[in-house]
Amino acid sequence: MSSTHAPAATSRREQILKEAARLFAERGFHGVGVDEIGAAVGISGPGLYRHFAGKDAMLAELLVGISERLLDGGRIRAASGGDSPAAVLDALIDGHIDFALDDRPLITVHDRELDRLREADRKRVRRLQREYVELWVQVVREVYPACAEADARASVHAVFGLLNSTPHLSRPGALPGRTEMSALLHRLARGAFATLAGDGGAAGDAGGARRGSAAGDAGATGGARHGSAAADAGATSGARHGAGAFSGPSDTPGQSR
């Protein structure tokens, strides 16, 4: 008998959230009905109410949930990312790139639908995103100790905008393979932070440049709308905001308002 364990099956609740995110991103929150979400996972619309009170509850779990996962994952990477601040920064970048490539619908949903959350949930998302931003700011200032705090924070928001541009790069053939795209995004993020060194970025960037070299020939577009909006904090979305840390001025998953 084989000792290999099959990966845990995705729960029905997770399936519902995944399909809800995809449909909300494609057609907007108000353009999707409960019956359509149910059909996407093979259950009747009313059957969804055994898992969620309604679409509002799904939206809240999607946006609060991803903000919690980004922060928790960032804290884990900061604690175990390596023996130098530069290695920790590389780990944070890699974690956010995984989000930006694997959860693109959530970036779009956060960008468009954050304001539809109840006030309490919206404040919770923004608080989580601010904490995520400040985690990055602390690490960036350890890598570049001479940079001002305001410059470090603005750079973090700009990098979130860059990384969260992925939903705008979905034309067939627009992106290289996942491995190449991940390396390219890492190189671009490290290049952006390198400007904080004031001398072309020699300090602490060897690892980032090495990681990104495989993607030197790939091109990227998008993210301009995302990266500009970093006044507050945030980390998951892009257009209006980026992930709060998401994208734009203050609504990225990674850039909250």
Side-chain angles (χ1 to χ4, degrees), residues 61-137:
E61 185 151 338
L62 285 169
L63 297 186
V64 173
I66 188 56
S67 297
E68 290 175 336
R69 291 196 299 277
L70 282 171
L71 178 57
D72 290 345
R75 285 171 170 165
I76 290 170
R77 290 181 180 90
S80 59
D83 55 3
S84 69
V88 174
L89 181 58
D90 281 330
L92 287 175
I93 293 170
D94 284 342
H96 200 95
I97 287 172
D98 285 342
F99 157 73
L101 292 177
D102 297 337
D103 291 300
R104 281 182 260 181
L106 280 176
I107 295 176
T108 300
V109 172
H110 178 282
D111 179 36
R112 294 177 182 166
E113 314 293 355
L114 179 64
D115 289 342
R116 301 193 191 282
L117 293 181
R118 294 180 310 160
E119 183 178 3
D121 289 329
R122 191 164 59 250
K123 286 182 176 179
R124 185 177 178 190
V125 167
R126 290 170 178 163
R127 175 182 58 78
L128 291 165
Q129 290 176 356
R130 282 194 294 271
E131 292 180 29
Y132 184 60
V133 169
E134 293 311 310
L135 175 66
W136 279 65
V137 170

Side-chain angles (χ1 to χ4, degrees), residues 5 18 22 29 33 42 45 93 111 118-119 135 171 184 187-188 197-198 202 204 216 224 226 228 230 241 255:
H5 296 286
K18 180 178 180 180
R22 179 182 66 82
F29 181 74
I93 293 170
D111 179 36
R118 294 180 310 160
E119 183 178 3
L135 175 66
R171 270 188 308 108
L184 173 61
R187 183 169 65 89
L188 291 170
H226 293 37
S228 64
H241 5 15
Q255 295 176 285

Side-chain angles (χ1 to χ4, degrees), residues 232-254:
D232 246 352
T236 25
S237 101
R240 265 193 320 148
H241 5 15
F246 288 99
S247 109
S250 51
D251 289 345
T252 354

Side-chain angles (χ1 to χ4, degrees), residues 1-8:
M1 182 198 254
S2 170
S3 61
T4 302
H5 296 286

Side-chain angles (χ1 to χ4, degrees), residues 15 40 68 88 158 175 180 223 227 238:
Q15 291 172 352
E68 290 175 336
V88 174
L175 300 180
E180 293 77 15

Side-chain angles (χ1 to χ4, degrees), residues 18-84:
K18 180 178 180 180
E19 290 304 314
R22 179 182 66 82
L23 291 168
F24 292 161
E26 289 177 358
R27 290 154 51 189
F29 181 74
H30 286 308
V32 179
V34 170
D35 289 345
E36 293 164 289
I37 298 171
V41 294
I43 62 178
S44 66
L48 286 179
Y49 292 108
R50 291 198 295 270
H51 302 278
F52 295 97
K55 287 198 308 176
D56 290 332
M58 294 179 211
L59 181 64
E61 185 151 338
L62 285 169
L63 297 186
V64 173
I66 188 56
S67 297
E68 290 175 336
R69 291 196 299 277
L70 282 171
L71 178 57
D72 290 345
R75 285 171 170 165
I76 290 170
R77 290 181 180 90
S80 59
D83 55 3
S84 69

